Amino acid sequence: MRLSLATLGTVGFLGLAAAGFFGWRVQAEALNQEIARKRSALKTLHLGGRLPPNREAVTYLTGRGTALDQQYAKAVRLIAMLPSADEAHADPQLYFQQRVHEVQRTLERLAAARGMPSPAQLGFPKDVPPADAVPRLLLQLELIEDAAELILAQDIAQLASVKVEDPQPMPANEEGADTFLMRLPVRLRLTCSLETLTNVLGVLDRAKPMADVQVLRLKSTDAGALDVELVLTRYLVTKPAFDEDGEDDA
């Protein structure tokens, strides 16, 4: 059977049309699947029957979340400024030992400049501490150094001792939640007048990073001065942790 050119042209056109129709069906099916995925994702945004946020609302909420993260990171730095020295990252245990000697020399120098004996230092590990304890010990060392400088700048009679206390995890507000903060206390004993103690508390209240006064005990001496016991603390944020830009590192 012989087909005319017109018939062949018609067959070719129908073949192209069929191929185009088939391609359109494939594309339409892919679009339907994509629409189904989008609808499924949007279901999670329907809260209480309300419509999902529009583009402007999403942009606002994203910017607001970023601003809150930055405020959080700023608050963390106010409470406890983490050590950032390169040596701490290279060999944290060796860096800790170096910092212990530096703080000891600082206390000796400050006490000698005021004609008083160097304070006794208690609670420092005699051996190399485990690596996971170094961050909190460095913060406690920094708190001792900062507090001693502030206190010895006042007219106190003596800074008798400084002591590193054990860390105190603060319980989470919600049951089963991870510990968010760890309290890192240090204990100081000093002798001064009531007026000087007022000045000491004032400078500690203005300290940055924060030096939170947890305990204050007073005892009168025969000479009319006060024996003062102070427990100061800073806080280690255990989770979540944010970098300098306020982004979650977890």
Side-chain angles (χ1 to χ4, degrees):
M1 181 175 63
R2 301 174 66 182
L3 298 176
S4 66
L5 291 176
T7 303
L8 290 174
T10 302
V11 171
F13 173 78
L14 291 175
L16 291 174
F21 178 75
F22 178 75
W24 177 83
R25 286 291 303 271
V26 171
Q27 185 178 10
E29 182 64 25
L31 288 173
N32 285 334
Q33 292 177 0
E34 182 66 20
I35 290 171
R37 284 195 295 269
K38 294 293 185 182
R39 285 177 174 173
S40 177
L42 286 172
K43 286 180 180 180
T44 60
L45 297 176
H46 285 268
L47 303 175
R50 293 179 294 176
L51 292 175
N54 56 26
R55 185 183 299 275
E56 290 76 12
V58 170
T59 300
Y60 168 78
L61 292 172
T62 301
R64 182 60 177 163
T66 301
L68 290 174
D69 287 346
Q70 292 173 348
Q71 292 177 15
Y72 172 84
K74 183 178 180 180
V76 168
R77 291 193 294 271
L78 175 65
I79 294 173
M81 189 176 296
L82 293 177
S84 59
D86 293 338
E87 294 88 345
H89 298 294
D91 190 337
Q93 293 161 305
L94 177 60
Y95 179 69
F96 168 73
Q97 290 180 312
Q98 293 173 349
R99 285 291 294 142
V100 169
H101 294 309
E102 289 174 1
V103 171
Q104 288 174 338
R105 288 194 296 269
T106 297
L107 295 178
E108 292 170 359
R109 175 177 53 81
L110 292 173
R114 288 156 182 80
M116 62 180 66
S118 179
Q121 300 174 57
L122 309 172
F124 292 98
K126 295 181 180 179
D127 300 324
V128 176
D132 59 353
V134 168
R136 67 97 173 171
L137 288 170
L138 286 172
L139 284 174
Q140 288 177 296
L141 274 174
E142 183 181 295
L143 176 55
I144 287 174
E145 187 174 37
D146 293 347
E149 290 182 352
L150 293 172
I151 291 172
L152 288 170
Q154 310 306 310
D155 188 23
I156 68 169
Q158 183 183 9
L159 178 59
S161 66
V162 294
K163 181 182 179 182
V164 174
E165 300 280 314
D166 292 334
Q168 303 168 1
M170 299 184 66
N173 293 330
E174 299 180 4
E175 185 177 355
D178 293 333
T179 300
F180 176 68
L181 288 176
M182 182 177 293
R183 187 182 288 121
L184 305 177
V186 298
R187 189 178 301 270
L188 303 95
R189 298 181 186 275
L190 58 137
T191 303
C192 64
S193 66
L194 179 59
E195 180 181 0
T196 300
L197 176 60
T198 302
N199 295 334
V200 167
L201 295 176
V203 296
L204 291 175
D205 183 60
R206 296 187 294 272
K208 293 182 180 180
M210 180 179 67
D212 192 10
V213 178
Q214 293 289 305
V215 175
L216 173 61
R217 295 191 178 96
L218 309 176
K219 181 180 178 181
S220 298
T221 67
D222 295 337
L226 295 173
D227 283 336
V228 181
E229 181 183 30
L230 277 174
V231 176
L232 306 178
T233 190
R234 281 183 183 154
Y235 299 88
L236 179 63
V237 179
T238 56
K239 187 178 181 180
F242 283 81
D243 62 19
E244 292 295 321
D245 296 327
E247 297 179 353
D248 195 346
D249 292 335

